[in-house]
Amino acid sequence: VHCYVSESTDPYTNLAFEDWVLRSSDPQSYVLYLWRNRPTIVIGRNQNPWKECNLDMMATRDVWLARRTSGGGTVYHDLGNSNYTVVMPRTAFTRNWCAEMVAQALQQMDIPAYVNARHDVAVDELKISGSAFRLTSKRAFHHGTMLIDADLSRLHGCLLSRNKDAIEAKGVDSVRSRVANLREYSLAIDHSSFCDAVMREFEKTLRCSLDEASGNVTRWSGSSADLDPHVHTERKRISHWDWLYGQTPEFVHRFHAHFAWASVFASVAARRGLITSADIGTSSSALEPPVGVRKAFADIARVLQDARYDRAEIKTRLEPVRADTDSPHVAELVEWVAAQI
């Protein structure tokens, strides 16, 4: 057995370190990993960030985006939230084992926690911890959040996407739940006491002893000197656009607007974060659009082909369409399309 306690708050470093533990630890060992991150929205491996997140609010409030290698739904991290991971032999994995251990740890702190039917840790029917898992041929991990004193207003705001109902996506949609902080049930609990409680319950469950003096508890800062080369490589990979956005399964974003001159409908399809097709126009029963607008429909569809589903790139792609005419209707149309992304 071993326990790692991270003092880093960088989400990409912490997730990369988790991957290193999964890959490098003895296949028969049990490893507990305790960590927390700066403000970050973490989506599941097969989720759509444009559908799950309010990316505009995240940008203005300095909330980062990360994508896990595990499945499951979207969660919010900040320094008021603690994370736990248990890495174990594949043959020992069950959906409830880790969650039950964490609930027992909270009960030892006089918090009436339990595991609900969705395998989440809850108190008074309010979710305090979301979890997910990953399985390999020989290893498995179960990891989860624990809301201790998180900024719930920022949590709700950053998880409220304006495109939620406009995007039809393959992959996994999050299931929204009512949540609460543990601070509502205990004024004494904080990140340190939660970590200590989980470590003690881990010891009890596995009938082992964790002690820094014996060498099976490691506290690491996340500095370059502390990290295996795999962690550096993995951090670079999972912090890149190609993973954060390019991993997104196929989706179609449909939107429409009523202008003074016509009602316009648009459909934009994308795969791996790149636009594969765009269709924009008016309904068949609509009046003929103003001069230049019908050509702009075709030009917009053409320039968006193969573009990243990214507002800055799309604005750049659309600029020649705007510059090609002095029509105020085309300018209005271009601004509208760019604003929807």
Side-chain angles (χ1 to χ4, degrees), residues 16-36:
F17 186 84
E18 180 183 64
D19 186 75
W20 173 78
V21 172
L22 178 73
R23 293 174 183 272
S24 66
S25 54
D26 186 288
Q28 296 305 310
S29 67
Y30 288 78
V31 181
L32 175 65
Y33 173 41
L34 299 164
W35 47 294
R36 61 177 175 169

Side-chain angles (χ1 to χ4, degrees), residues 244-262:
L244 296 174
Y245 298 96
Q247 177 67 20
T248 305
E250 293 178 50
F251 68 95
V252 178
H253 185 183
R254 296 182 176 89
F255 45 97
H256 67 275
H258 300 290
F259 298 101
W261 42 271

Side-chain angles (χ1 to χ4, degrees), residues 7-211:
E7 295 175 2
S8 170
T9 59
D10 178 86
Y12 310 120
T13 299
N14 281 328
L15 288 167
F17 186 84
E18 180 183 64
D19 186 75
W20 173 78
V21 172
L22 178 73
R23 293 174 183 272
S24 66
S25 54
D26 186 288
Q28 296 305 310
S29 67
Y30 288 78
V31 181
L32 175 65
Y33 173 41
L34 299 164
W35 47 294
R36 61 177 175 169
N37 290 328
R38 70 176 310 286
T40 306
I41 294 293
V42 185
I43 60 176
R45 181 187 184 95
N46 297 311
Q47 290 199 290
N48 184 313
W50 297 281
K51 185 178 177 70
E52 296 291 335
C53 312
N54 185 333
L55 294 170
D56 288 337
M57 175 176 283
M58 289 168 61
T60 59
R61 302 193 68 172
D62 193 28
V63 177
W64 294 3
L65 176 70
R67 184 189 292 271
R68 304 186 303 272
T69 58
S70 62
T74 300
V75 292
Y76 171 76
H77 291 187
D78 66 16
L79 296 184
N81 170 80
S82 299
N83 302 303
Y84 56 88
T85 305
V86 178
V87 184
M88 66 197 81
R90 167 71 181 263
T91 54
F93 174 80
T94 65
R95 288 288 300 271
N96 269 7
W97 182 81
C98 184
E100 290 285 2
M101 180 189 73
V102 172
Q104 288 287 336
L106 294 177
Q107 290 171 20
Q108 297 302 313
M109 303 176 75
D110 296 323
I111 296 172
Y114 61 92
V115 179
N116 65 19
R118 293 188 53 81
H119 311 285
D120 297 322
V121 183
V123 180
D124 291 342
E125 299 185 4
L126 299 172
K127 184 175 176 178
I128 55 173
S129 171
S131 65
F133 60 90
R134 180 181 172 190
L135 306 174
T136 68
S137 59
K138 295 182 179 180
R139 299 291 271 162
F141 73 55
H142 189 134
H143 56 188
T145 58
M146 184 56 65
L147 296 170
I148 295 176
D149 192 23
D151 185 339
L152 297 186
S153 65
R154 184 155 53 178
L155 178 155
H156 292 302
C158 289
L159 295 182
L160 187 63
S161 170
R162 64 187 176 91
N163 294 324
K164 182 179 185 300
D165 297 325
I167 291 178
E168 179 183 328
K170 294 183 178 180
V172 177
D173 288 347
S174 295
V175 177
R176 304 301 179 189
S177 302
R178 294 187 305 136
V179 300
N181 276 319
L182 287 180
R183 190 56 58 80
E184 298 177 31
Y185 300 91
S186 170
L187 295 177
I189 192 167
D190 58 15
H191 176 66
S192 179
S193 62
F194 171 74
C195 291
D196 288 343
V198 173
M199 288 173 66
R200 300 291 80 80
E201 197 62 32
F202 184 77
E203 288 178 315
K204 185 193 303 183
T205 303
L206 294 178
R207 296 186 175 89
C208 65
S209 177
L210 294 174
D211 181 38

Side-chain angles (χ1 to χ4, degrees), residues 138-338:
K138 295 182 179 180
R139 299 291 271 162
F141 73 55
H142 189 134
H143 56 188
T145 58
M146 184 56 65
L147 296 170
I148 295 176
D149 192 23
D151 185 339
L152 297 186
S153 65
R154 184 155 53 178
L155 178 155
H156 292 302
C158 289
L159 295 182
L160 187 63
S161 170
R162 64 187 176 91
N163 294 324
K164 182 179 185 300
D165 297 325
I167 291 178
E168 179 183 328
K170 294 183 178 180
V172 177
D173 288 347
S174 295
V175 177
R176 304 301 179 189
S177 302
R178 294 187 305 136
V179 300
N181 276 319
L182 287 180
R183 190 56 58 80
E184 298 177 31
Y185 300 91
S186 170
L187 295 177
I189 192 167
D190 58 15
H191 176 66
S192 179
S193 62
F194 171 74
C195 291
D196 288 343
V198 173
M199 288 173 66
R200 300 291 80 80
E201 197 62 32
F202 184 77
E203 288 178 315
K204 185 193 303 183
T205 303
L206 294 178
R207 296 186 175 89
C208 65
S209 177
L210 294 174
D211 181 38
E212 289 187 57
S214 65
N216 64 357
V217 176
T218 303
R219 299 180 185 273
W220 61 280
S221 66
S223 67
S224 297
D226 292 341
L227 298 178
D228 184 272
H230 172 82
V231 179
H232 291 286
T233 302
E234 180 68 359
R235 186 198 183 282
K236 183 177 181 180
R237 183 184 77 86
I238 65 174
S239 61
H240 194 274
W241 195 96
D242 288 349
W243 173 254
L244 296 174
Y245 298 96
Q247 177 67 20
T248 305
E250 293 178 50
F251 68 95
V252 178
H253 185 183
R254 296 182 176 89
F255 45 97
H256 67 275
H258 300 290
F259 298 101
W261 42 271
S263 293
V264 178
F265 302 84
S267 176
V268 180
R271 182 176 181 272
R272 295 194 172 278
L274 300 178
I275 294 175
T276 56
S277 66
D279 182 25
I280 182 169
T282 59
S283 65
S284 57
S285 62
L287 297 175
E288 182 67 20
V291 175
V293 171
R294 189 167 295 282
K295 178 178 182 297
F297 289 160
D299 289 342
I300 290 172
R302 175 178 51 79
V303 300
L304 291 185
Q305 185 76 28
D306 299 324
R308 279 185 175 185
Y309 205 79
D310 172 81
R311 183 176 296 166
E313 178 163 337
I314 286 173
K315 282 184 175 180
T316 300
R317 293 273 191 124
L318 291 175
E319 188 54 38
V321 179
R322 182 206 298 268
D324 190 46
T325 176
D326 57 4
S327 167
H329 306 306
V330 172
E332 188 178 20
L333 180 67
V334 165
E335 289 179 7
W336 170 68
V337 171

